[in-house]
Amino acid sequence: MSAPAAPRPVPRPAPRRAALGRAALAGFVVATAADLGSLLAGWETGHQVFKPLLMPLLIGYALSRRAPRALTGALLFGWGGDLALLFDADPAFLLGMGSFALGHVCYLVLFGRRPVSPLAGAAYALALVTTVCLLWGDLPPELRIPVAGYSLLLTAMAWRSGALGWRAGLGGALFLLSDTLIATGVADWPQLPRPDFWVMATYAAAQYLLADGALAGDRAYRREVLPV
């Protein structure tokens, strides 16, 4: 009986690639801080400048670590959603929601069939039903079905994100929180002071944690299952 094949070593990024990745991540942190500072200061121009930089910088970081295509796609669609939501109009809102929905599909493809807690799934399902029921009557009629459908996809992504570890799982939960804050604003519910700040703070943290958690989970998966 032959011995099992040794795991295939996962390639490390070349020094130049690693340096570019660190620079992109540092840029992401700086751009996030600048965007959040602009929102706190009420400087709309700063938000318009810095928000579109976030996802390209995070994509650069992910690519430096040999990101799977599904992760790159998720971040690209997130960027599309970011750009659309810079415009204050219902068509732009729907376009942005559609782009984010495609990003969630990419994340679900990335998570694959890895096991995830059924108890967490039940908790997320309860949160979905409760939130949609509470928001339904306060949403504009033309947005009720799209928001409900999007919420289902978002909640599935948030639940399945735990398959790649606690970082990705926390990222999925924060993404759900961020978009719930947006939905309560659309429903004209009472908001926290500077609501856009909280939306962007949870969103930026969510995308980073999802990306970093997915990269760590992908490396561990390849280390465990890929043959020589």
Side-chain angles (χ1 to χ4, degrees), residues 27-98:
F28 172 77
V29 172
V30 170
T32 299
D35 184 46
L36 296 179
S38 298
L39 292 171
L40 284 176
W43 185 34
E44 183 61 25
T45 301
H47 179 57
Q48 297 278 336
V49 169
F50 294 115
K51 182 182 180 183
L53 300 178
L54 301 182
M55 290 306 102
L57 289 167
L58 192 55
I59 290 168
Y61 166 67
L63 289 176
S64 76
R65 296 178 61 184
R66 303 182 185 277
R69 291 181 181 177
L71 175 58
T72 304
L75 297 175
L76 280 171
F77 283 121
W79 185 39
D82 289 347
L83 295 177
L85 294 186
L86 288 174
F87 300 93
D88 188 15
D90 284 349
F93 179 80
L94 289 171
L95 180 62
M97 189 164 56

Side-chain angles (χ1 to χ4, degrees), residues 165-219:
W166 71 266
R167 278 179 291 182
L170 178 58
L174 286 174
F175 211 134
L176 179 61
L177 174 59
S178 180
D179 280 4
T180 301
L181 292 174
I182 293 175
T184 60
V186 174
D188 204 23
W189 284 15
Q191 299 290 295
L192 294 169
R194 300 292 183 188
D196 288 347
F197 170 84
W198 299 108
V199 168
M200 283 305 301
T202 50
Y203 169 71
Q207 289 283 39
Y208 167 74
L209 287 168
L210 280 166
D212 200 56
L215 290 166
D218 182 68
R219 288 200 307 275

Side-chain angles (χ1 to χ4, degrees), residues 102-131:
L102 291 172
H104 297 325
V105 171
C106 290
Y107 275 128
L108 288 169
V109 170
L110 178 65
F111 303 148
R113 296 185 178 181
R114 297 176 177 89
V116 67
S117 168
L119 290 177
Y124 272 118
L126 178 61
L128 169 66
V129 172
T130 302
T131 303

Side-chain angles (χ1 to χ4, degrees), residues 15-27:
R16 183 176 180 183
R17 178 188 289 265
L20 290 173
R22 288 192 295 270
L25 181 58

